[in-house]
Amino acid sequence: MPELPEVETIRRELEPLISGKIFVRPVLHMPSTIESPSVEEFSTTLTGRTIENLTRRGKYLIINLDRGILVVHLRMTGNLSYSVNGQPREERFLRVSLPFTDESALHYFDMRRFGRLWLVANREELHTKVLKRVGPDILEEVDLEKFLKLLGKRQRSKIKALLLDQGFAAGMGNIYTDECLHRCNIHPRRQAGSLSRTETEELYAAIKAVLADGIEYGGTTFRDYRNTSGAIGSFQSKLAVYGCKGEKCRCGAKIEKITEAGRGTYYCPNCQK
DNA sequence: AGCACCACCTGTGGGC
DNA sequence: TGCCCACAGGTGGTGC
């Protein structure tokens, strides 16, 4: 479900709502949502902690506490909902409830149960236990020079697979990758090493632009994505290729759907070379 | 290194 | 019209 723009939207909405709040003991409706530590240690350690601020790395939401760090990954269908009176908007798919001392609460819902929460002691553990294989944030930590350098190490990868690889750089998902490659007219099956300098610069610019647009529109709701208050994003109305099989591209050609990197991949066979 | 495939889950919509 | 199964904003593991 959520890619970088959706997680960033949630981060921006949530930060002013929950900064300064103090956790009371969590309610784990589905204990396996907690990846680590043990459910008992998670509950005990989180209780009494104060939220300082919220950051993000790729698709990971990082909730920094006065002692320790709470990390959330929503995977496909996870979503976070803040409730002033502490009541969840519904019981269905409710996996974890994180109540605060002021009676408000943060609720984690997840239909497909892929999402996970972690509680780590410090930055060191954040990187060794959670972000072990996660590359630099594509929006915040990769300038053009670094992008060129990273690409240089992965010349043989197909560009779609590479952009989806969170170890290469973190944040791009299936929707924004397709939109990005369409914007810069690059075929999803091109090998990274085949891109000219100009194409690489255009790709970099397209990544930045499509992610910025996604954030500006509050993310994309293709099926399930909801922001913190349960509202949908609006970037889906701006999608040029994703989910548009058979529809006309701006050039007039029909958008096609193929499988690449194991994912449904939409592109324009006329524009993208 | 890179890639294809499966597993993890539940719901649903496209196609027959 | 109804039913069914391929497929879904992700990732980790395996094996070639």
Side-chain angles (χ1 to χ4, degrees):
Chain A
M1 164 184 111
E3 307 180 32
L4 187 153
E6 288 73 36
V7 179
E8 177 62 16
T9 298
I10 291 166
R11 190 197 70 75
R12 291 183 186 185
E13 289 172 343
L14 220 43
E15 186 165 53
L17 292 174
I18 65 172
S19 289
K21 306 261 181 199
I22 301 165
F23 287 107
V24 297
R25 194 172 177 84
V27 183
L28 310 178
H29 311 284
M30 194 184 81
S32 59
T33 303
I34 310 305
E35 181 73 27
S36 85
S38 69
V39 291
E40 184 47 40
E41 194 181 340
F42 178 90
S43 299
T44 308
T45 311
L46 188 64
T47 303
R49 299 278 57 79
T50 303
I51 295 174
E52 292 193 333
N53 57 60
L54 274 63
T55 54
R56 183 188 54 71
R57 168 91 163 265
K59 304 168 193 172
Y60 290 81
L61 182 66
I62 299 168
I63 301 174
N64 298 293
L65 312 173
D66 57 340
R67 248 190 6 250
I69 304 167
L70 176 65
V71 185
V72 182
H73 196 303
L74 307 166
R75 293 283 180 98
M76 292 288 267
T77 54
N79 70 81
L80 286 164
S81 163
Y82 176 73
S83 161
V84 176
N85 67 9
Q87 292 306 304
R89 63 170 187 267
E90 57 181 342
E91 297 298 321
R92 205 180 182 206
F93 310 136
L94 179 60
R95 309 304 183 197
V96 176
S97 294
L98 302 171
F100 300 112
T101 51
D102 69 353
E103 313 271 285
S104 70
L106 189 59
H107 296 288
Y108 177 71
F109 296 86
D110 193 349
M111 180 181 80
R112 290 177 72 183
R113 312 178 182 213
F114 291 164
R116 291 292 180 268
L117 271 65
W118 297 256
L119 183 58
V120 295
N122 48 45
R123 304 296 296 178
E124 159 84 17
E125 275 196 15
L126 173 67
H127 291 99
T128 56
K129 292 190 175 176
V130 186
L131 304 177
K132 207 173 178 178
R133 292 171 190 168
V134 179
D137 186 87
I138 189 71
L139 202 54
E140 307 293 335
E141 300 173 319
V142 182
D143 57 17
L144 179 60
E145 190 186 357
K146 188 159 183 178
F147 187 65
L148 290 164
K149 202 174 167 185
L150 288 169
L151 268 184
K153 291 189 229 168
R154 302 289 299 274
Q155 296 280 291
R156 307 182 78 88
S157 290
K158 282 192 226 136
I159 198 64
K160 164 116 185 189
L162 189 55
L163 294 178
L164 286 176
D165 182 351
Q166 303 300 296
F168 166 74
M172 296 292 281
N174 206 31
I175 293 180
Y176 292 96
T177 296
D178 282 4
E179 291 300 310
C180 164
L181 291 173
H182 180 256
R183 277 195 199 205
C184 60
N185 301 317
I186 293 173
H187 194 289
R189 287 185 172 151
R190 282 280 294 282
Q191 223 173 41
S194 77
L195 301 180
S196 69
R197 170 73 190 219
T198 304
E199 284 177 321
T200 306
E201 288 178 5
E202 287 169 354
L203 171 59
Y204 179 77
I207 290 170
K208 294 278 171 166
V210 79
L211 292 175
D213 287 353
I215 293 168
E216 186 184 333
Y217 286 91
T220 304
T221 300
F222 200 74
R223 301 173 77 98
D224 306 300
Y225 168 71
R226 293 293 183 278
N227 68 16
T228 300
S229 28
I232 63 172
S234 63
F235 192 64
Q236 62 276 9
S237 66
K238 304 288 170 186
L239 297 175
V241 286
Y242 188 86
C244 301
K245 181 185 173 185
E247 291 175 35
K248 279 193 176 176
C249 173
R250 63 196 168 206
C251 76
K254 273 191 180 180
I255 292 156
E256 291 184 6
K257 185 186 184 189
I258 57 175
T259 297
E260 187 51 47
R263 317 293 301 278
T265 299
Y266 300 85
Y267 77 108
C268 171
N270 183 47
C271 293
Q272 293 174 255
K273 302 296 183 190

